[in-house]
C-alpha cells in the first residue's frame, strides 16, 4: 500500500520509524503534504536568498520574518489548518518572485524547487507535494538525508525562537541570513557528509546567538525573572488559560482583561511568565493551571473557562471545549476561532466575552504553590555562595533534568532520577519535562531550594549561561563541572538545543526516551564517538555511573 505521508520529525513517530497515514501529533496526510511543499518552497527561497547575500545585497527583514514564521508553522503541534498553509504557500511564491527580481539572473543549474511555481488550487498543490516528500529521492544517501533533515529540524526550532524575538522587535542579521544558507545547503548535492556535519555544528553556534537574542528580548521588555511562588490551585471566578510561549500575547491579554474580573492562568510552556516583573505586577495573573502539554485534552475537558493557544503545543480539541479554545499567531486548528493581528494589534474581546459568559470556577481550592524564576541573572548573582557550598561539600553535584515531555511510556525515568538524586545535589530543570516532578518537595540545601526552575525551552540560554558562569568561576570547562545533563526530547526545539550543546563541545549527555528516527546509524555513531552521547537506561544505573 502506498504511503499517504512520511514524517519522522518528532519523538512520538509511529514505531520509532515514521508516520505514514496520519501523524501521532494529530496532523492528517493533507496537512503533512502542504507542510512538505512549504519546506520545499523554503529551500527554493533559501537558494535565492543565499545567492543574493553572496552579491553583498541585503534582504528585507519582513522576508526573513516570513521564512522563519513559515518554518515555525511546520514544527510539531503548531498548525493543523490546511487553509492557513495554502496562505503560506501563496505568499511563498510571491517572495520567490521578488527574490528572483532582486537577484537578477537565476543560475541555469538551480535546483528544481527554485523555479517551481505554486499552482492555483489546493488540490493541485496536494498533487505536487509528492515531489517535496522526505523520501521522494529513493537514491539519496541515507547519511546525507539524515544530516539534511537534522539541519531542517534544527531550523524549525530556531525559527520558533527567532519568531518570539521578532514580535518584541529584536532581530539579528547573522541569524536571519543563516536560514538562507542552511536551506540552500539542503539542496546542494556537492556537500559531503563532513560538509553537512560541519554546517550543523555552525548551526548550533548560530542558534546560541538566536537564544541569546530571545533572552535579551524577553528580559529587556519584561525584566529579569526573579524567584516567585506560583499558585497551582483554582480560584473562584471567570478565567482564561494561556498556553504556549508568547509573552507579548500574554501581556496584551493581561492589559485587555484588567479590571474585568477575569483570572488569568498560565499553562504548560507559559509557566515562566510569573517570574518576569512586568508581567507579575498584574494581580489577575493568578496562577498556573494543569501540567504538561500532552495532558491538555483531559485538563480542558468541559472546562468552565477559555483557553488561548499562543504557540505550540496544541492537540486536537475535544468537542467539549472546542467552542472555548482560541488560537493566535502561528497556531491553527480547522474550525477553531483564530485571533489575528490587524495593524499591529490584537483584539481579545471574543475570548474575554466567552470567559465571562462561561462563569468560571465556583469555589476556591486550598492554596498550593511552586517556585519559578531561577534564570541566569538570579542564579549567577548567587554564584559565590553556590561555589562556597560546593567547596564545603554541601553541594556534591548538579543535575540538569529537563527537555520536552510527551505521552510515550518510559518518561517516568525522569521523575525517578529526580527523586533518587541524593539530598546533597541540586536539580536544575527547564522545559515541559519538569512537569514530571516540579510539584514534589525536594527540600533545600541551606538557603538554596534543591529544585531550581530555570524556565521553559525558550529559556535554555539561561541554563547554558549558568553552566558557563559556574565553569568560569571554578576556572574549568563545562565538561569538568560536577554537572550531568539528562535530557528528554520530543520536538524540534529540543533538536536545536541539543545541536547547540554539541557545538559548544559539551559531552556525556544522557538522551531519551528514544533516539531520533531521523538520525542514521552512521551519524549516531559519529555523535557517540565525538560527544559520548548516551541513551538513557535506568535511574539507578545512571546515578551509580555519575556519582560512583
Amino acid at each position: 500500500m502506498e504511503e499517504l505521508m512520511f514524517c519522522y520529525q518528532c519523538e512520538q513517530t509511529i514505531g520509532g520509524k515514521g508516520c505514514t497515514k496520519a501523524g501521532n501529533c494529530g496532523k492528517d496526510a493533507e496537512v503533512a503534504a502542504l507542510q512538505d511543499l512549504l519546506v520545499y518552497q523554503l529551500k527554493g527561497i533559501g537558494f535565492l536568498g543565499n545567492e543574493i547575500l553572496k552579491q553583498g545585497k541585503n534582504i528585507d527583514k519582513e522576508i526573513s520574518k516570513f521564512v522563519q514564521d513559515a518554518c515555525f508553522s511546520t514544527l510539531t503541534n503548531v498548525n493543523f489548518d490546511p487553509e492557513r498553509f495554502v496562505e503560506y504557500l501563496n505568499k511563498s511564491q510571491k517572495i520567490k518572485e521578488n527574490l528572483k527580481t532582486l537577484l537578477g539572473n537565476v543560475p541555469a543549474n538551480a535546483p528544481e524547487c527554485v523555479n517551481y511555481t505554486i499552482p492555483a488550487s489546493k488540490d493541485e498543490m496536494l498533487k505536487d507535494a509528492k515531489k517535496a516528500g522526505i523520501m521522494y529521492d529513493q537514491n539519496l544517501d541515507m547519511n546525507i538525508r539524515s544530516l539534511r533533515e537534522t539541519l531542517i529540524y534544527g531550523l524549525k526550532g530556531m525559527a520558533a525562537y527567532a519568531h518570539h524575538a521578532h514580535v518584541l522587535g529584536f532581530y539579528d542579521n547573522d541569524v536571519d541570513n543563516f536560514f538562507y544558507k542552511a536551506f540552500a545547503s539542503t539542496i546542494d548535492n556537492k556537500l559531503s557528509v563532513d560538509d553537512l556535519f560541519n554546517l550543523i555544528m555552525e548551526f548550533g553556534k548560530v542558534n546560541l546567538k538566536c537564544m541569546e537574542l530571545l533572552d535579551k528580548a524577553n528580559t529587556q521588555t519584561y525584566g529579569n525573572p526573579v524567584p516567585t511562588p506560583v499558585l497551582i490551585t483554582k480560584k473562584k471566578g471567570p478565567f482564561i488559560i494561556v498556553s504556549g510561549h508568547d509573552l507579548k500575547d500574554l501581556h496584551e491579554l493581561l492589559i485587555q482583561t484588567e479590571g474585568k474580573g477575569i483570572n488569568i492562568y498560565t499553562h504548560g510552556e507559559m509557566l515562566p511568565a510569573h517570574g518576569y516583573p512586568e508581567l507579575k505586577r498584574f494581580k489577575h495573573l493568578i496562577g498556573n493551571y494543569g501540567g504538561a502539554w500532552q495532558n491538555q485534552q483531559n485538563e480542558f475537558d468541559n472546562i468552565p473557562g477559555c483557553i488561548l493557544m499562543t504557540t505550540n503545543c496544541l492537540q486536537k480539541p475535544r468537542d467539549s471545549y472546542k467552542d472555548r479554545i482560541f488560537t493566535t499567531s502561528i497556531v491553527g486548528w480547522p474550525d477553531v476561532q483564530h485571533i489575528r493581528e490587524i495593524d499591529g494589534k490584537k483584539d481579545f474581546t471574543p475570548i474575554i466575552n466567552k470567559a465571562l459568559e462561561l462563569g468560571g470556577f465556583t469555589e476556591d481550592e486550598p492554596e498550593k504553590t511552586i517556585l519559578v524564576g531561577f534564570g541566569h541573572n538570579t542564579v549567577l548573582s548567587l554564584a559565590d555562595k553556590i561555589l562556597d557550598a560546593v567547596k564545603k561539600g554541601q553541594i556534591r553535584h548538579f543535575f540538569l533534568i529537563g527537555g520536552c515531555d510527551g505521552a510515550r511510556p518510559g518518561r517516568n525515568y525522569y521523575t525517578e532520577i529526580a527523586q533518587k538524586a541524593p539530598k546533597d545535589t541540586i536539580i536544575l530543570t527547564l522545559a515541559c519535562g519538569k512537569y514530571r516532578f516540579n510539584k514534589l518537595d525536594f527540600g533545600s540545601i541551606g538557603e538554596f531550594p534543591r529544585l531550581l526552575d530555570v524556565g521553559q525551552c525558550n529559556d535554555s540560554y539561561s541554563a547554558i549561561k549558568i553552566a558557563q558562569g559556574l565553569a568560569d568561576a571554578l576556572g574549568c570547562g563545562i565538561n569538568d563541572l560536577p554537572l550531568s545533563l539528562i535530557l528528554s526530547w520530543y520536538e524540534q526545539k529540543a533538536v536545536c538545543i541539543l545541536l547547540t550543546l554539541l557545538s559548544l563541545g559539551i559531552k556525556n549527555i544522557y538522551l531519551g526516551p528514544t533516539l531520533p528516527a531521523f538520525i542514521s546509524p552512521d551519524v549516531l555513531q559519529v555523535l557517540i564517538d565525538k560527544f559520548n552521547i548516551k541513551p538513557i537506561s535506568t535511574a539507578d544505573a545512571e546515578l551509580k555511573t555519575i556519582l560512583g
Side-chain angles (χ1 to χ4, degrees):
M1 180 180 168
E2 187 179 9
E3 292 177 352
L4 298 175
M5 60 179 275
F6 184 84
C7 180
Y8 60 2
Q9 70 176 9
C10 84
E11 184 266 339
Q12 69 179 0
T13 192
I14 292 173
K17 294 180 179 178
C19 295
T20 57
K21 294 180 182 177
N24 250 345
C25 62
K27 71 179 173 184
D28 59 23
E30 179 179 85
V31 168
L34 294 171
Q35 288 186 358
D36 285 347
L37 195 58
L38 183 55
V39 171
Y40 187 74
Q41 282 286 85
L42 291 173
K43 291 175 181 178
I45 289 170
F47 178 91
L48 294 167
N50 197 45
E51 293 299 312
I52 289 166
L53 292 171
K54 286 179 187 175
Q55 293 181 351
K57 297 175 183 174
N58 295 320
I59 299 173
D60 188 278
K61 71 178 182 181
E62 286 303 311
I63 292 178
S64 295
K65 185 176 184 300
F66 170 82
V67 168
Q68 289 155 38
D69 286 359
C71 188
F72 183 14
S73 74
T74 68
L75 190 146
T76 303
N77 287 4
V78 173
N79 198 329
F80 300 82
D81 187 349
E83 300 311 318
R84 295 269 299 283
F85 283 106
V86 169
E87 286 181 32
Y88 279 124
L89 284 162
N90 286 327
K91 188 167 182 181
S92 72
Q93 191 59 42
K94 291 176 182 175
I95 283 173
K96 262 169 72 171
E97 300 311 319
N98 289 342
L99 291 176
K100 285 178 183 178
T101 301
L102 182 60
L103 178 60
N105 294 315
V106 177
N109 62 344
E112 182 185 356
C113 59
V114 176
N115 292 310
Y116 169 74
T117 300
I118 288 290
S121 72
K122 183 173 75 175
D123 287 345
E124 292 298 318
M125 291 178 190
L126 291 169
K127 287 178 187 175
D128 282 357
K130 189 173 182 180
K131 73 173 72 177
I134 293 167
M135 296 296 181
Y136 180 67
D137 182 357
Q138 294 289 318
N139 298 317
L140 185 64
D141 177 85
M142 68 184 298
N143 295 319
I144 295 288
R145 178 183 283 115
S146 175
L147 290 166
R148 286 178 177 180
E149 292 303 312
T150 300
L151 181 57
I152 288 170
Y153 303 150
L155 290 173
K156 291 185 181 192
M158 186 165 79
Y161 299 142
H163 164 86
H164 291 298
H166 285 173
V167 297
L168 294 175
F170 288 73
Y171 294 83
D172 183 281
N173 286 335
D174 291 342
V175 172
D176 291 350
N177 292 344
F178 189 82
F179 278 91
Y180 302 105
K181 176 181 179 178
F183 272 121
S185 298
T186 66
I187 49 174
D188 186 346
N189 292 324
K190 297 189 299 295
L191 296 183
S192 66
V193 165
D194 286 343
D195 293 331
L196 287 167
F197 187 86
N198 291 335
L199 187 65
I200 285 171
M201 291 299 101
E202 182 185 349
F203 162 81
K205 290 183 168 62
V206 175
N207 185 56
L208 179 64
K209 185 175 282 193
C210 186
M211 291 195 295
E212 183 180 14
L213 179 74
L214 177 56
D215 179 80
K216 182 179 174 184
N218 286 339
T219 56
Q220 289 194 8
T221 307
Y222 303 112
N224 281 300
V226 294
T228 303
V230 179
L231 188 74
I232 55 171
T233 45
K234 299 170 189 171
K235 298 290 281 185
K236 182 180 178 180
F239 65 90
I240 298 171
I241 296 165
V242 185
S243 195
H245 303 81
D246 202 301
L247 298 181
K248 185 178 180 183
D249 281 334
L250 173 65
H251 186 232
E252 187 57 41
L253 181 67
L254 287 167
I255 292 170
Q256 293 186 31
T257 50
E258 199 163 23
K260 288 187 166 65
I262 296 175
N263 291 327
I264 304 297
Y265 296 87
T266 58
H267 171 267
E269 297 85 355
M270 194 58 81
L271 174 59
H274 294 274
Y276 287 91
E278 287 301 308
L279 298 173
K280 64 183 286 185
R281 69 182 180 84
F282 290 92
K283 301 303 180 192
H284 63 302
L285 179 60
I286 202 80
N288 187 71
Y289 177 86
W293 66 272
Q294 76 274 7
N295 301 319
Q296 67 187 257
Q297 289 174 324
N298 291 328
E299 292 174 348
F300 297 163
D301 194 32
N302 271 314
I303 204 165
C306 291
I307 309 111
L308 177 66
M309 300 298 299
T310 66
T311 54
N312 61 319
C313 295
L314 173 67
Q315 288 189 302
K316 180 180 181 179
R318 290 180 180 173
D319 290 341
S320 65
Y321 62 88
K322 198 172 183 182
D323 67 330
R324 58 203 66 178
I325 187 169
F326 293 71
T327 61
T328 191
S329 186
I330 306 293
V331 199
W333 191 279
D335 304 320
V336 162
Q337 298 171 83
H338 186 74
I339 295 172
R340 290 183 180 262
E341 183 175 273
I342 300 171
D343 298 327
K345 296 282 185 184
K346 291 184 182 180
D347 182 1
F348 289 109
T349 301
I351 191 170
I352 291 169
N353 289 342
K354 185 69 177 177
L356 291 170
E357 173 197 325
L358 288 166
F361 298 124
T362 55
E363 57 185 36
D364 293 346
E365 287 183 336
E367 290 193 359
K368 184 180 178 182
T369 62
I370 57 174
L371 200 57
V372 304
F374 289 93
H376 62 85
N377 189 65
T378 291
V379 175
L380 292 180
S381 72
L382 301 169
D384 289 345
K385 292 181 179 179
I386 293 171
L387 295 177
D388 188 53
V390 171
K391 288 170 184 173
K392 289 178 178 175
Q394 295 167 332
I395 299 175
R396 180 174 23 155
H397 203 82
F398 297 88
F399 291 93
L400 175 61
I401 306 174
C404 307
D405 203 3
R408 189 188 291 270
R411 290 180 181 267
N412 56 319
Y413 160 92
Y414 296 95
T415 310
E416 193 178 342
I417 202 163
Q419 287 180 304
K420 290 184 174 180
K423 297 194 183 303
D424 58 356
T425 61
I426 294 280
I427 300 165
L428 297 161
T429 190
L430 77 164
C432 285
K434 67 165 167 264
Y435 280 107
R436 294 268 159 181
F437 50 80
N438 71 333
K439 291 169 185 171
L440 303 176
D441 183 4
F442 289 93
S444 58
I445 299 174
E447 65 181 283
F448 307 113
R450 282 195 56 232
L451 183 69
L452 302 179
D453 187 339
V454 178
Q456 283 304 116
C457 56
N458 276 26
D459 305 294
S460 297
Y461 177 75
S462 258
I464 293 171
K465 187 91 169 166
I466 289 166
Q468 286 178 327
L470 293 176
D472 291 345
L474 283 169
C476 66
I478 291 177
N479 290 320
D480 302 313
L481 285 172
L483 168 69
S484 298
L485 277 65
I486 300 172
L487 306 181
S488 53
W489 83 284
Y490 171 73
E491 43 90 322
Q492 296 81 63
K493 280 181 281 184
V495 174
C496 75
I497 293 164
L498 178 63
L499 296 179
T500 291
L501 294 174
L502 299 181
S503 76
L504 292 169
I506 295 174
K507 297 183 178 181
N508 305 315
I509 296 170
Y510 290 86
L511 183 65
T514 61
L515 293 173
F518 53 84
I519 297 289
S520 69
D522 289 345
V523 172
L524 176 60
Q525 194 58 51
V526 170
L527 296 178
I528 291 171
D529 292 344
K530 284 182 74 73
F531 302 106
N532 201 26
I533 283 184
K534 303 172 184 180
I536 62 170
S537 57
T538 67
D540 289 334
E542 250 77 280
L543 289 169
K544 186 176 180 181
T545 300
I546 292 165
L547 299 174

